[in-house]
Amino acid sequence: MRIFGKVRHRPSASWRQATDRAFTLIGDGRYEDAGALLTRAADLEPWLSESWFNLALLHKFRHDWDQARAAGLRAVALLDRETGAPDWWNVGIAATALQDWPLARRAWQAYGLKVPGATAATGEPVGMDLGSAAVRLSPEGEAEVVWGRRLDPARIEILSIPLPSSGRRWGEVVLHDGVPHGERLTAAGPSFPVFDEIELWAPSPVPTWVVLLEAATEADRDALERLAADAGFAAEDWSSSVRLLCRACSESKMASDEGDGEQHLDPHDHSEPGHPGPYGHRTAGELWSPERECGLAAPAGLVRGLLDGWVADSPDTREWRDLEEVC
């Protein structure tokens, strides 16, 4: 995390000592003490872009977006190159957090990204078409990696149904960091970066429910997911989509069952194959269990109707029970 880039003059020993000590304190979560040292470093070398970049990083860790924007702008004003500097990326994150869309657009362009001219009614850039990615919710707590759609370089809309322990919902938008921690490889071939959540950017009004299903076949389970999607909401079979991974595995290059292709036995999977419930993961067709624990994202007035309609389409192979709102 120590930032020592090319500068016009070698920074002083006092600057280096203060900066080294500050990042050690940041690693220990002592942001207040680190801030005093990084402020001192900036006073010692105010002409050095790294002084302000480090302060911007600290303010990002503290979610103090006004200060992060101010320090970031001082950093980019001292840069000796036009594009590609990570200083601009941090400015873009801070501007996005503050919904300062003109500055966000300027930051992404200065970093070297193409930003379409189209804007939403709020002024935010739209149509950047950055594709899918995974995001690690609550990275410092009970981390959970979910799938989403990238709205821009700093925001992801959650398309999975997170477990209730994450405190997040389907359809929420989270602000995320710029450096991926891990990758997810799909059976179809492409790999997707895993970004760490910084904070919730836009909440979702749609609650999360958990329900126990009796689904005789995968096709029965798939039918509920299609029914929910057709209604504009979501259902997810947590019995097959959730895996327990240690931190080292989660932050590495991992295979994913997302996308087309056969599922496989993952040696890094720390859950129990074929075991229904929030910590099971189906790894082969012969391990299918009719009892499934399913997450549903739907309004209270619709969720029971979805489930009843699903059963009515094939009452001999489908049942549901124990519906509960969990987030």
Side-chain angles (χ1 to χ4, degrees):
M1 295 176 68
R2 294 166 178 78
I3 311 300
F4 302 112
K6 295 180 180 179
V7 296
R8 293 185 295 275
H9 304 286
R10 183 179 178 84
S12 67
S14 296
W15 184 93
R16 295 197 302 272
Q17 290 169 359
T19 301
D20 281 347
R21 178 58 180 158
F23 277 100
T24 297
L25 293 172
I26 287 173
D28 294 335
R30 296 171 60 184
Y31 294 149
E32 194 74 25
D33 294 334
L37 286 170
L38 289 179
T39 299
R40 179 177 172 232
D43 288 340
L44 288 170
E45 308 282 9
W47 48 266
L48 188 64
S49 64
E50 283 84 351
S51 295
W52 303 105
F53 177 78
N54 292 339
L55 268 173
L57 272 182
L58 172 67
H59 295 312
K60 180 182 73 173
F61 297 150
R62 298 175 67 180
H63 303 182
D64 186 343
W65 299 115
D66 284 314
Q67 291 297 323
R69 176 174 58 183
L73 286 172
R74 294 197 68 167
V76 297
L78 295 167
L79 289 175
D80 56 3
R81 54 175 168 156
E82 293 184 1
T83 61
D87 310 65
W88 277 113
W89 197 281
N90 280 336
V91 170
I93 292 174
T96 301
L98 295 168
Q99 300 185 46
D100 182 348
W101 300 121
L103 179 58
R105 177 182 292 274
R106 177 185 165 204
W108 304 134
Q109 289 174 330
Y111 186 79
L113 300 176
K114 293 182 179 180
V115 183
T119 60
T122 58
E124 63 189 280
V126 295
M128 293 192 73
D129 193 24
L130 298 176
S132 299
V135 60
R136 182 175 291 104
L137 306 176
S138 304
E140 300 304 322
E142 290 190 34
E144 178 185 357
V145 175
V146 298
W147 289 92
R149 177 175 67 95
R150 299 187 71 187
L151 303 179
D152 57 38
R155 293 180 300 157
I156 289 179
E157 179 187 10
I158 299 172
L159 299 182
S160 298
I161 303 179
L163 295 173
S165 58
S166 72
R168 294 285 174 259
R169 289 176 165 181
W170 171 85
E172 289 187 327
V173 176
V174 296
L175 192 72
H176 68 81
D177 220 338
V179 178
H181 282 160
E183 288 182 81
R184 293 297 180 267
L185 307 177
T186 63
S191 65
F192 297 88
V194 180
F195 297 101
D196 285 347
E197 174 195 17
I198 298 177
E199 66 180 18
L200 178 64
W201 191 88
S204 169
V206 181
T208 302
W209 307 80
V210 62
V211 63
L212 290 180
L213 305 179
E214 287 290 335
T217 67
E218 291 180 79
D220 289 304
R221 184 273 317 273
D222 294 345
L224 178 59
E225 294 182 350
R226 286 195 302 272
L227 196 64
D230 290 344
F233 299 101
E236 182 176 330
D237 180 8
W238 284 341
S239 296
S240 62
S241 68
V242 176
R243 292 185 292 171
L244 287 182
L245 298 175
C246 68
R247 189 179 191 90
C249 289
S250 178
E251 294 181 356
S252 66
K253 182 181 290 188
M254 295 295 300
S256 168
D257 289 335
E258 194 76 8
D260 297 328
E262 294 184 359
Q263 295 179 317
H264 55 276
L265 178 62
D266 184 348
H268 299 277
D269 190 342
H270 305 289
S271 59
E272 300 178 26
H275 189 279
Y279 301 118
H281 178 56
R282 186 179 65 79
T283 56
E286 65 269 21
L287 294 175
W288 178 261
S289 170
E291 184 175 280
R292 320 300 296 173
E293 187 161 60
C294 181
L296 278 167
L302 180 66
V303 64
R304 286 174 177 81
L306 278 174
L307 290 165
D308 288 341
W310 172 71
V311 171
D313 287 339
S314 183
D316 293 336
T317 61
R318 304 172 188 175
E319 291 182 21
W320 68 269
R321 67 180 190 276
D322 298 339
L323 178 67
E324 180 184 0
E325 183 176 347
V326 291
C327 184

